[in-house]
Amino acid sequence: MTSTAATFCVCLYFVVGFAFNSAVVLESRYSPSRQSTTKLEDGYEIHLYSYTPEGWDNETIDESILKINLDYLEERGPKPDNASARDTIFVYADFSFTTTEVINDRSLAVLLSQRIPAVNNETVPCEIASTDPKDLVVQRLSCIAMNEYIYLVAGLLEGVPCTEGEPCRDDGLKVYSTAIVFDKQGYLVAKYRKYNLINEEAIDKPSTLEPATFTTESGITQGIFMSHDLLFAEPANTYFANGVRRFVDLGATVNTMPFGFSLSVHWGWHFANRDKKIALATSNYQNSMLGYTGNGIIWPSGSYALLYGPGAGGFGVLQTGVTDYTKTTTQGESKINGPITSEETDFTDYSSVPVPHSSLSVNEVSVCHGEDEFCCTLTYRTIRNADEMFYQLVAFDGNRTSRDGSVLFPEQTCGLVACSSADKMSCGASLEATNYTQEVSFTVLSLKGSFSSDKVIPITMDAEKYFPMSEISMTVLQNGSRFDVNLVSEASIQTMKTFAISSTDFITKSGAKHISASMMLIAISFYILSSFL
């Protein structure tokens, strides 16, 4: 008898440069009892560029916008200043050269798309003499990486001619939102085509998901995410299975009240995977006039540095080096200086119940949603000076859909949210519309839900600073086919906007857990093997 086995294997000194607008910086930790001092790999820096591209408000855009933004980034971007750093990584967010106008304008996306050579080609793009505008961005980025002796990660539009027989648009191209990586010699060493698209009608989805990594001179392997990847099972599962624990994210995420602010989702995803000792550095497209803001870096200990840059036309940098980081600050020392524009969640399909004031004793409210009775329970006690408060407990068990009504992924969410009135539709209100939160404190706060998956993340937001709440704990216990999740505040919370737990993509309406292609392959292999035993 024979057997076969198939196994699918699959820094921090902090500086902020911000040229035109006010910025807010926050460093914090998971628990008040844990020191946030962190030392990771020596000689390792990441520079996260938060930039509002030139031309975002132009009535018309042409190919010249590519050179204009390349010139701006190269000239205005700070130079590497740590001569001892073996690994210096620059990260430019998605759409940094084109603006996000290309997301829904197919003709513009085609016009600004670029030709990307094969990865690990023996030729350095910077050294190729080409005047073709389709080579411009790749050539210039290769030169920056080579001249500055850095690793450079950037997002651009990639145009690929359709092959015969495959589905194709009338223009004959596949236009992908693609992350590319150059090493310190200017070689292209990695490419990742965005697979998880949300409301990006002009961009094509690759036929297959191809996670990508690059390994620096110091031997540190980085996985690549783009925009909404953290809401999906893949490519994260593949990276984890391959032992990847360091990630860069090139974002273009619109902040959405109250569950979709970029840094709240990034921090919550990191928290949910904290046992894997991961580091996440995310550079989000910046244009707060349109709702795009939020750069951050989160280290395995839970220490983090976050930046929101209000106002369009700004240029901000998170420059991080892990060697000498010893600074510890708290949330109360920084405030946002100005509003941040965002979209609002449509609560039409959510179930909700009011959360009344309760200062004399601990109170409990519950709400359920959907045919399968997905239920959430809030235990709390409040202190308030405000005349009125409009907190509600909301629940959702269904499918997240795109603008055209197509299903993006299944979702289960329990959330305590501040609303601007007693109407649940007001629960997506901006922070400015919920000023009573400044006078309300939750001295006891616990949120429970019974989920169809153990892949659940906390999503929290301080109603004064837009930042996630770090002094929390979360337990996940299996209960038959369900998973009982309990999110608890470890300290009294003031100015609370959002206190929620959410699971996306890993569940189906029947409650079955999401099964990735790799897991399915393993299951089939074992089934075939067992038939011979």
Side-chain angles (χ1 to χ4, degrees), residues 130-359:
S130 173
T131 58
D132 191 327
K134 292 297 182 182
D135 296 325
L136 174 66
V137 177
V138 171
Q139 281 185 320
R140 287 284 299 275
L141 295 179
S142 172
C143 291
I144 293 173
M146 183 175 66
N147 294 335
E148 301 295 343
Y149 200 58
I150 59 171
Y151 295 89
L152 193 153
V153 188
L156 70 162
L157 293 181
E158 177 188 12
V160 180
C162 296
T163 59
E164 186 176 353
E166 72 172 330
C168 190
R169 305 198 199 198
D170 292 342
D171 49 48
L173 277 183
K174 295 289 187 179
V175 178
Y176 303 116
S177 181
T178 302
I180 56 177
V181 184
F182 297 93
D183 68 9
K184 295 187 290 186
Q185 287 76 38
Y187 288 99
L188 182 69
V189 294
K191 177 172 71 174
Y192 169 65
R193 292 171 176 165
K194 187 192 302 181
Y195 189 77
N196 299 306
L197 305 178
I198 295 182
N199 294 326
E200 299 172 65
E201 287 82 2
I203 310 300
D204 293 304
K205 181 175 181 175
S207 57
T208 58
L209 171 68
E210 298 181 359
T213 63
F214 65 101
T215 301
T216 64
E217 182 181 338
S218 297
I220 302 170
T221 297
Q222 302 271 350
I224 303 171
F225 290 126
M226 295 187 76
S227 294
H228 301 96
D229 278 339
L230 300 187
L231 297 177
F232 292 81
E234 293 291 355
N237 280 352
T238 298
Y239 289 136
F240 291 154
N242 272 308
V244 180
R245 295 295 183 266
R246 303 287 178 265
F247 301 98
V248 294
D249 175 42
L250 291 71
T253 303
V254 176
N255 293 316
T256 305
M257 285 288 196
F259 303 128
F261 255 67
S262 57
L263 295 183
S264 291
V265 174
H266 296 158
W267 190 89
W269 180 85
H270 185 282
F271 181 91
N273 293 287
R274 61 196 182 281
D275 60 311
K276 298 178 178 66
K277 307 298 182 184
I278 60 177
L280 174 66
T282 178
S283 180
N284 199 39
Y285 181 90
Q286 178 180 300
N287 189 330
S288 62
M289 300 295 290
L290 301 178
Y292 297 93
T293 52
N295 278 11
I297 186 163
I298 315 169
W299 292 112
S301 67
S303 301
Y304 60 79
L306 307 177
L307 167 67
Y308 278 125
F315 186 94
V317 180
L318 289 184
Q319 176 183 321
T320 64
V322 305
T323 305
D324 301 316
Y325 180 69
T326 57
K327 185 178 180 181
T328 302
T329 61
T330 62
Q331 288 187 343
E333 296 177 37
S334 298
K335 290 185 179 181
I336 285 237
N337 195 2
I340 292 180
T341 302
S342 67
E343 294 185 352
E344 297 181 2
T345 296
D346 182 353
F347 280 92
T348 301
D349 295 331
Y350 285 69
S351 296
S352 68
V353 293
V355 176
H357 175 56
S358 177
S359 61

Side-chain angles (χ1 to χ4, degrees), residues 25 198 208 217 388 432 453 466 482 500 525:
V25 178
I198 295 182
T208 58
E217 182 181 338
E388 292 183 295
E432 292 73 28
S453 168
Y466 289 87
R482 311 287 290 183
S525 299

